[in-house]
């Protein structure tokens, strides 16, 4: 394998190593995948201002997100089934993030549990919460995250029902994988993945199985989500969740100024401008195109973060310039994880950090904290 130089290189390697149904799960958007593509394409439309003859020594990417230190304005996003990209994936990714000095967010729909991740990390990680109808289960999940000393709770607001992703339906996605002929063929061509997976016992939804009542079969993600996720989740629920949690709260999935204002009213610590990586409402605007409007609406009242479409350090710099205090990467680190395990997550972070650092310097800035809209070029084509 040649040394990966870009996130696209990691994606190519991951495609070779990870069974198709799990690679596709990470790589899909809903319906036409138009919003998934727009998230990436709109970053390319934002142009940078080249500056010269400025002192470029002593550069720093260090910042804080919800008051917590980060070596660069990037956190690992919560991603469902991360432990299916590579055996024990969440534990490996959390360790890579901790060593790199950026926050790791564990998804409710992870394979490794909160306790598994806590057992291999020494610094606090963040926990993402999906709210299900079974409130006892949710209260218990919040308490488990507290007991594991998670330092922020991220509440996802944009997945009360699941957007349709055609690839998952066609692949018959399930975790653990079913042993039909179709799935067997997909697995048989990925021997390294299978060998690693046979060595771990973590192959189901670690946060859920054995904790939620009446959950015997998680094989179909879409039917389970339809049964369990609460389609009546409301702003009132944000209030009791905030109260029960009692710590830093991040609201994920805001794409509209009116919703951003309502989110700021809750007293949460940050919002994430996000369309769930184009996996929910296909046809929604890209995250980066909505960021400036949302920052103008609430940026003086709440920290604004962004996810969706980041494939390089340049994209992070553009988001920061347009007002994001921090950003999240999902697919870029999953590609690294699928390609090379923990080392691949570190490689993804290194690639993004290096690209951001060089870009910042060539834009005439030395400190990420001073990067603002002045680095964005006006296009007059
Ligand atoms: C879960 O968060 C998903 O988008 O599949």
């Amino acid at each position: 394998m040649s040394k990966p130089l870009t996130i696209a290189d990691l994606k190519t390697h991951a495609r070779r190593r990870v069974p198709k149904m799990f690679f596709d799960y990470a790589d899909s958007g809903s319906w036409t995948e138009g919003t998934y593509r727009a998230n990436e394409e709109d970053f390319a439309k934002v142009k940078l201002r080249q500056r010269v003859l400025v002192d470029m020594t002593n550069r720093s990417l260090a910042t804080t997100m919800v008051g917590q230190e980060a070596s660069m304005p990037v956190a690992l996003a919560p991603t469902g089934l991360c432990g299916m990209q590579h055996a024990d994936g969440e534990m490996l990714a959390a360790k890579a993030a901790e060593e790199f000095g950026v926050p790791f967010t564990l998804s409710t729909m992870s394979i490794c549990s909160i306790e598994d991740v806590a057992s291999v990390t020494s610094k606090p990680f963040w926990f993402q919460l999906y709210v299900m109808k079974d409130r006892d289960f949710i209260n218990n999940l919040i308490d488990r995250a507290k007991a594991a000393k998670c330092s922020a709770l991220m509440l996802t607001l944009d997945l009360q029902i699941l957007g349709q992703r055609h690839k998952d339906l066609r692949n018959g996605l399930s975790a653990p994988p079913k042993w039909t002929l179709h799935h067997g063929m997909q697995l048989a061509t990925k021997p390294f993945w299978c060998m690693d997976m046979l060595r771990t016992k973590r192959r189901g939804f670690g946060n859920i199985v054995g904790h939620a009542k009446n959950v015997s079969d998680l094989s179909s993600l879409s039917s389970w989500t339809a049964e369990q996720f609460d389609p009546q989740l409301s702003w009132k629920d944000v209030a009791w969740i905030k109260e029960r949690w009692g710590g830093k709260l991040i609201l994920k999935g805001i794409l509209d100024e009116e919703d951003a204002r309502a989110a700021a009213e809750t007293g949460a610590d940050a919002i994430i401008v996000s369309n769930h990586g184009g996996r929910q409402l296909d046809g929604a605007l890209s995250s980066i195109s909505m960021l400036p409007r949302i920052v103008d609406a609430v940026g003086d009242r709440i920290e604004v973060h962004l996810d969706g479409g980041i494939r390089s350090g340049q994209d992070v710099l553009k988001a920061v310039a347009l007002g994001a205090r921090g950003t999240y990467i999902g697919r870029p680190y999953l590609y690294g994880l699928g390609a090379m395990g923990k080392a691949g997550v570190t490689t993804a972070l290194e690639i993004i950090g290096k690209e951001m650092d060089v870009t910042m310097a060539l834009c005439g800035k030395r400190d990420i904290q001073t990067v603002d809209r002045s680095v964005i070029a006006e296009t007059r084509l």
Side-chain angles (χ1 to χ4, degrees):
M1 178 163 99
S2 56
K3 187 174 161 45
L5 298 177
T6 62
I7 298 300
D9 289 345
L10 289 173
K11 181 172 181 178
T12 305
H13 292 313
R15 193 191 294 274
R16 286 195 204 117
R17 217 182 140 107
V18 178
K20 185 173 182 312
M21 69 189 115
F22 299 118
F23 178 85
D24 280 356
Y25 171 72
D27 190 36
S28 50
S30 54
W31 286 322
T32 70
E33 302 192 332
T35 296
Y36 172 15
R37 285 191 300 277
N39 276 346
E40 295 180 5
E41 288 162 7
D42 286 355
F43 265 114
K45 292 181 194 154
V46 179
K47 302 295 177 197
L48 297 164
R49 231 176 114 202
Q50 170 182 305
R51 303 301 306 278
V52 295
L53 304 190
V54 270
D55 183 357
M56 291 180 185
T57 54
N58 298 325
R59 296 186 300 278
S60 169
L61 297 176
T63 190
T64 59
M65 289 169 77
V66 292
Q68 299 176 27
E69 283 174 13
S71 59
M72 62 181 182
V74 176
L76 300 196
T79 54
L81 278 74
C82 167
M84 283 289 136
Q85 304 298 327
H86 190 287
D88 297 337
E90 291 89 356
M91 292 156 79
L92 301 181
K95 282 202 279 188
E98 176 170 306
E99 283 165 23
F100 204 89
V102 295
F104 170 78
T105 322
L106 183 72
S107 165
T108 295
M109 304 300 285
S110 58
I111 301 298
C112 302
S113 67
I114 299 175
E115 294 76 14
D116 288 333
V117 174
S119 74
V120 294
T121 48
S122 54
K123 289 193 206 124
F125 57 97
W126 297 352
F127 181 67
Q128 173 270 344
L129 184 70
Y130 276 128
V131 183
M132 295 164 199
K133 291 175 194 155
D134 178 351
R135 292 293 198 259
D136 289 344
F137 171 64
I138 295 307
N139 282 329
N140 186 252
L141 255 186
I142 295 174
D143 295 348
R144 286 168 63 197
K146 269 197 224 179
K149 303 212 166 25
C150 291
S151 56
L153 186 75
M154 182 183 292
L155 179 63
T156 297
L157 307 179
D158 62 0
L159 199 142
Q160 287 166 263
I161 60 167
L162 192 71
Q164 179 165 320
R165 299 112 191 223
H166 295 321
K167 289 176 194 149
D168 292 350
L169 296 179
R170 294 199 173 107
N171 286 329
L173 177 78
S174 67
K178 289 190 225 88
W179 285 95
T180 62
L181 185 63
H182 174 70
H183 293 94
M185 301 265 286
Q186 286 193 14
L187 300 184
T189 55
K190 312 290 174 189
F192 295 111
W193 182 94
C194 290
M195 270 170 356
D196 286 337
M197 205 50 88
L198 287 171
R199 276 197 286 262
T200 181
K201 55 183 190 323
R202 300 179 187 91
R203 295 194 285 264
F205 289 103
N207 288 327
I208 296 163
V209 176
H211 295 278
K213 285 191 286 270
N214 307 324
V215 176
S216 51
D217 181 7
L218 283 185
S219 62
S220 165
L221 184 62
S222 51
S223 64
W224 189 79
T225 312
E227 265 166 45
Q228 300 292 326
F229 282 37
D230 186 356
Q232 292 187 315
L233 188 71
S234 73
W235 290 108
K236 286 202 195 94
D237 294 302
V238 176
W240 71 255
I241 290 166
K242 183 172 184 301
E243 164 110 31
R244 174 120 194 164
W245 168 247
K248 299 278 180 188
L249 181 68
I250 304 171
L251 300 178
K252 175 172 181 283
I254 301 285
L255 205 67
D256 181 272
E257 291 122 296
E258 215 172 297
D259 288 340
R261 284 189 203 100
E265 287 297 302
T266 65
D269 297 278
I271 55 170
I272 309 180
V273 177
S274 170
N275 48 37
H276 214 101
R279 299 161 72 78
Q280 286 293 96
L281 178 64
D282 189 36
L285 286 168
S286 67
S287 301
I288 191 66
S289 69
M290 279 309 297
L291 176 68
R293 286 187 251 175
I294 291 181
V295 168
D296 289 346
V298 297
D300 55 345
R301 283 193 282 155
I302 190 166
E303 253 182 50
V304 180
H305 301 174
L306 171 136
D307 77 15
I310 290 178
R311 299 293 176 270
S312 72
Q314 291 218 322
D315 294 340
V316 178
L317 191 96
K318 289 172 183 176
V320 170
L322 291 172
R325 175 86 202 170
T327 65
Y328 298 79
I329 53 168
R331 295 179 181 102
Y333 97 77
L334 291 181
Y335 297 146
L337 182 67
M340 299 153 65
K342 178 179 167 229
V345 178
T346 304
T347 303
L349 290 166
E350 283 169 354
I351 290 171
I352 286 181
K354 174 110 196 285
E355 289 167 341
M356 196 187 325
D357 176 52
V358 172
T359 305
M360 180 173 79
L362 295 174
C363 287
K365 298 278 187 191
R366 297 195 295 180
D367 184 349
I368 196 78
Q369 312 256 8
T370 65
V371 169
D372 57 15
R373 287 189 197 184
S374 69
V375 308
I376 304 293
E378 230 181 278
T379 43
R380 296 216 184 112
L381 289 175

